[in-house]
Amino acid sequence: MEQQRSMCPISCALDLVGDKWTLLILRDLLLGKTRYSELSASPETIPSNLLATRLRKMEAEGLLSRVQYSHRPPRFEYRLTQKGKSLLPTMRELARWSARHIEAAANPPPPF
């Protein structure tokens, strides 16, 4: 785990999920995507090197687990841990806030 900027809980949360991509990866996992190819096909077009880096960081931080589903070639699925799933209420509120206050935002899909 990286050094925290401060003990402020908002700052600590941003240190974990405040980059440009982590919440979008969490969104896709909450919507049922599990494979790297599914995550990389999201409309925001995350570069593959950044997706791999974020997935490793999220695994190291306990937000998701990586489970091998094929040995030849080695392939993995990504599954949210309880820690990752516990972000759903926060993400739900952020999505609802965005839909209410940002004109271009769409209504959030289930489970949001």
Side-chain angles (χ1 to χ4, degrees), residues 53-67 78 81:
T53 299
R54 292 305 184 272
L55 289 169
R56 279 193 301 274
K57 179 181 178 186
M58 293 167 71
E59 182 180 16
E61 294 289 347
L63 295 174
L64 59 83
S65 61
R66 187 173 73 138
V67 179
Y78 299 90
T81 61

Side-chain angles (χ1 to χ4, degrees), residues 7-61:
M7 292 180 64
C8 168
I10 300 296
S11 177
C12 290
L14 287 174
D15 288 340
L16 180 57
V17 298
D19 62 78
K20 185 175 179 177
W21 300 107
T22 301
L23 289 177
L24 295 174
I25 296 168
L26 283 167
R27 173 206 62 195
D28 288 347
L29 291 167
L30 286 164
L31 291 172
K33 294 181 180 183
T34 60
R35 297 189 176 175
Y36 189 92
S37 60
E38 295 170 326
L39 296 168
S40 67
S42 291
E44 293 82 13
T45 61
I46 182 171
S48 61
N49 62 322
L50 290 177
L51 177 57
T53 299
R54 292 305 184 272
L55 289 169
R56 279 193 301 274
K57 179 181 178 186
M58 293 167 71
E59 182 180 16
E61 294 289 347

